[in-house]
Amino acid sequence: MSRPRIVIVGAGFAGYRTARTLSRLTRHQADITLLNPTDYFLYLPLLPQVAAGILEPRRVSVSLSGTLPHVRLVLGEADGIDLDGHTVRYTGPEGEEGTLPFDRLVLAAGSVNKLLPIPGVAEHAHGFRGLPEALYLRDHVTRQVELAAASDDRAECAARCTFVVVGAGYTGTEVAAHGAMYTDAQVRKHPMRTGMRPRWMLLDVAPRVMPEMDERLSRTAERVLRQRGVDVRMGISVKEATHDGVLLTDGTTVDTRTLVWCVGVRPDPLVESLGLPMERGRLLVDPHLQVPGRPELFACGDVAAVPDLNQPGQYTPMTAQHAWRHGKVCAQNVAASLGIGERRAYRHRDLGFVVDLGGAKAAANPLGVPMSGPAAGAVTRGYHLAAMPGNRVRVAADWLLDAVLPRQAVQLGLVRSWSVPLESSSPEIARVPGAPERTGKDDGPAGERPAGDQTKHPQSQQNPHNQHSGEPAKEQAGGEPARSQPGGEPAKGQPGGEPAKGGSGAGTADAGNQAHGERAKRGRSGSPRASGKPRRAVEAAGPRPARGGSGKPGKAPRASGAGSAGKRPTAPSGPSRSAGPPTDPGPEPPANQPPPGPDIAPGPVRRTDGRAAEGDS
């Protein structure tokens, strides 16, 4: 008799924990397949340290094949799910298509970023969900400080060394805290000619920083930010992003080249087209994480609305802490459905939150005990080392080296602006020119694909203001591309065909969700994905329903599930950016984009004197 086949969609906190636990419980009595677009599990809580130059990218990337030896890894993104036929269709990284049969299916695709209907944000901002975005932000910030230091123009210097972060949740707070330390260290070595210093701004419509945490911890985080010179403005957000900067809701105009979008998440739209009962975009499951009426289907993480047994009538929040523990219980119940062990209901006790503010500073309340200062910093880093499923020694070594050696503030130029647009359907995968493109088959929003279950610390709640580093460029001779073409990205009327990421925190959440749904519907005109990668469409056994407000901003449903935070809405309709074949030694940006320059710059842009100049992303 053949062994039962278990397919897990997504390798975020929930999916990774499910695969690891199932591998141990079944002991070769079942065939376990993990479908994910990347070959690693991303420990998202430490991503801000990658952008700040503290950790190398591979430190936060845990190999799936190396840590899940008895699990078959299939690289690809889910294109369709036939529940009646018990099959999952997927598209591989090189455009190849395949089908995975299953006897048990676990959906752990995580959540996606939201994009609020704010003019210019899709064109001038970048996200902060994956490694490519973190690497791009580090290069970009380094470049802006270096250009500002070389400039004699005070206005240009001020704009280049002003960094705006929207969303004061976990991610936005950590990005601002680490970013301020990073740029201050650069300026100490290379002072500005104009005598100015880098300026970081943190905006949010919420009344205080990190509203999800205890008020005492919120005050601690805000105090640390202000001590580092971060301009914290609560009750304010971005009203419009332009090629010159951003217009705030209080009428203030800020000249900047950097807009970091860390504003909220919502469930991956992959589950919506299954035609099953939903709760605010999340698939309804019972306390055993099983879909009622579908004994072969389980869901966990951000895509699952799991009843909170400690608070009847409510559902567990979309946090990494819950996603990590969902995975363990889900694996036990999947094994029980195969006759191995017993079922158990999901019940959770809050362990507290930890937020790393850089250096020896942190805010934490382990087991409900509020802490701050060096003690909280030690607890926070100790927790991360304990929670990571791998690379602990390497991470600890990087922390030690950072404490005794200066950081290497250099531009690697590995990721260009057009490779990581805010509307990207896959923030964990940089856009690649010449990638295969499918048309007609998928009717989902162009470029819409969930980010997966990758989120904040299993101990800290997913930032409802989760990630997006935006980078508005300015049209000038300073080497910065016009904001209408940020770093080789399409003009405003051509958002790249991919929905943008956004989130709850930069505007009214409810309005954002509704507008996001409308944008997703409008942007989903069946146009090919701008990234050049096949869009993912999920189909149940029948026609695929349109994904409205809870569809992924900027992605067609995807098989990934990295953490409990996710991906976004579509940008205004316009021609999609298709990747053309490279004609130069280096990759060529998608069609409708200026060709890349000889170095890290994305391509020539217009100068005020009419000549072409190499643009800066």
Side-chain angles (χ1 to χ4, degrees), residues 22 34 65-66 72 84 105 111 165 182 197 209 211 309 329 334 395 405 426 428 443 485 513 525 532 556 563:
L22 266 174
L34 180 60
S65 57
R72 176 194 175 203
D84 294 331
L105 176 63
S111 53
V165 181
Y182 181 62
R197 296 189 64 82
V209 172
L309 299 183
V329 175
V334 170
V395 169
L405 297 175
S426 299
E428 73 277 11
D443 296 325
Q485 301 174 351
N513 291 338
S525 55

Side-chain angles (χ1 to χ4, degrees), residues 41 81 88 108 133 310 320 387 479 508 516 551 567 606:
F41 159 76
I81 299 177
V88 175
E133 292 171 323
N310 295 326
T508 305
H516 167 70
K567 303 170 184 146
R606 291 177 297 170

